[in-house]
Amino acid sequence: MTDFVSENRQPLQTMPETPRRKLDVKTLLAYLVLTLGVVVTLFPFAWMILTSLKGVQEIFQLNFIPQNPTLTNYAEVLTRTKFLVWFGNSLLIATITTLSVLFFDSLVGYTLAKFDFPGKNLIFLLILSTLMIPTEMLVIPWFVGITDLKLLTSVPGAYFAIMFPGLISAFGVFLMKQFFESLPTDLLEAARIDGMGEFGIFWKIALPLVKPALASLAIFTFLGNWNAFLWPLIAIQQPQFRTLPVGTALFNGEAGTNWGLIMAASSLAVIPVLIVFAIFQKQIIDGIVLTGMKG
């Protein structure tokens, strides 16, 4: 009996080994290049933040990591300067300007993309032609205009004088027009047949379908207005209306060689930009995924 069992016993079958994915030279080189790009991109930010945590004497020792981290620089920036006023001015101006660009650029882009009327192509060409005009050439007419209108004599007027060059942008009109042209016209015609008004079609149907474009435009607009320096420097004549780039630049001259205070102010200035990107990055990624699925 034992001999019969031993003769008919089958050996255990082992699971087939999964083939290991070979890391070729091209993939390894791509990872190395991407890693190098990440290090080069993040190194200045890491240096800025770590320098803001150093004391005056430790900054010139060129140590990457602070030996005695301190928040004294942040406390001095918030208490000795008008940083919160500059921060609030920049936040107000950048937020209102971004909302204005998102609404008006979307409305103009939708009109140029989905309506036919005489002179449409000419109007679009004139809008695009404004992109070729340098900002430095427009500063003098802008300043003459706000001076003649006496906008700098009141609080709302001063803020409007800083914001009005960026309340609508030619780049945003071009971007939104291209996205609206990709929407199916039959969907909009079906809404018209159901009795929906034109603004309702734009607001409830067309606009939600171009969220990736709105997210990209919001990031570009907010970042551009948050970092704007030349026009606010020329237009602002009273210290209480200074924006963060202007105030930081003047503070840089006042602080002299105190790089700890300068780095602390710069680190705080980056926070709103990171928050805006964190809010809208999901919309951009979803738009890229959906665009790939359409193909």
Side-chain angles (χ1 to χ4, degrees):
M1 185 67 180
T2 56
D3 295 338
F4 178 77
V5 173
S6 61
E7 291 178 359
N8 291 276
R9 181 178 296 173
Q10 298 293 333
L12 295 176
Q13 296 182 354
T14 59
M15 296 294 294
E17 295 182 359
T18 57
R20 295 182 179 180
R21 185 179 179 181
K22 295 182 179 180
L23 191 64
D24 56 355
V25 179
K26 292 183 179 179
T27 305
L28 180 60
L29 183 61
Y31 278 116
L32 290 177
V33 172
L34 291 175
T35 304
L36 180 61
V38 171
V39 172
V40 172
T41 303
L42 295 181
F43 180 79
F45 292 97
W47 183 272
M48 176 182 65
I49 295 174
L50 293 176
T51 303
S52 66
L53 299 176
K54 298 178 181 179
V56 178
Q57 298 178 353
E58 190 177 356
I59 290 178
F60 298 98
Q61 296 177 1
L62 300 181
N63 296 324
F64 185 71
I65 300 177
Q67 299 178 355
N68 299 311
T70 178
L71 296 177
T72 305
N73 295 323
Y74 290 94
E76 292 186 8
V77 167
L78 296 176
T79 55
R80 288 176 48 190
T81 67
K82 296 182 179 180
F83 181 86
L84 295 179
V85 177
W86 306 335
F87 189 94
N89 292 336
S90 293
L91 186 62
L92 177 65
I93 293 171
T95 301
I96 294 178
T97 306
T98 302
L99 294 177
S100 174
V101 166
L102 292 179
F103 178 75
F104 289 108
D105 285 15
S106 300
L107 195 60
V108 176
Y110 175 78
T111 303
L112 294 174
K114 293 303 180 182
F115 290 92
D116 292 327
F117 52 89
K120 181 180 74 172
N121 295 330
L122 179 60
I123 293 174
F124 183 60
L125 181 62
L126 292 176
I127 293 175
L128 291 183
S129 64
T130 60
L131 294 173
M132 297 184 291
I133 303 176
T135 305
E136 291 77 10
M137 293 182 60
L138 300 174
V139 167
I140 296 177
W142 289 346
F143 186 78
V144 172
I146 63 174
T147 304
D148 292 341
L149 295 176
K150 298 180 180 180
L151 295 177
L152 302 178
T153 57
S154 61
V155 175
Y159 283 116
F160 179 77
I162 303 172
M163 291 186 294
F164 87 90
L167 292 177
I168 185 170
S169 66
F171 169 76
V173 172
F174 170 76
L175 179 66
M176 299 309 299
K177 178 180 179 296
Q178 299 305 114
F179 268 79
F180 280 123
E181 285 182 346
S182 64
L183 299 182
T185 307
D186 296 339
L187 179 63
L188 307 180
E189 291 294 338
R192 292 189 182 97
I193 294 174
D194 291 339
M196 182 175 290
E198 292 297 336
F199 186 79
I201 296 174
F202 161 75
W203 188 259
K204 296 182 179 180
I205 297 179
L207 202 60
L209 295 177
V210 293
K211 287 183 178 180
L214 291 174
S216 302
L217 184 59
I219 292 176
F220 294 147
T221 305
F222 187 89
L223 183 61
N225 287 275
W226 182 263
N227 295 327
F229 178 76
L230 179 61
W231 173 244
L233 177 64
I234 296 174
I236 298 172
Q237 299 180 356
Q238 300 178 7
Q240 64 268 26
F241 297 125
R242 289 176 181 172
T243 57
L244 193 55
V246 176
T248 304
L250 298 178
F251 170 70
N252 188 2
E254 296 174 359
T257 57
N258 195 337
W259 292 105
L261 299 180
I262 297 172
M263 293 300 174
S266 301
S267 300
L268 293 174
V270 176
I271 295 176
V273 178
L274 298 178
I275 294 175
V276 170
F277 181 79
I279 293 174
F280 290 105
Q281 68 172 344
K282 184 178 183 300
Q283 299 292 338
I284 298 177
I285 296 174
D286 292 344
I288 296 173
V289 173
L290 293 176
T291 303
M293 294 174 61
K294 289 180 182 179

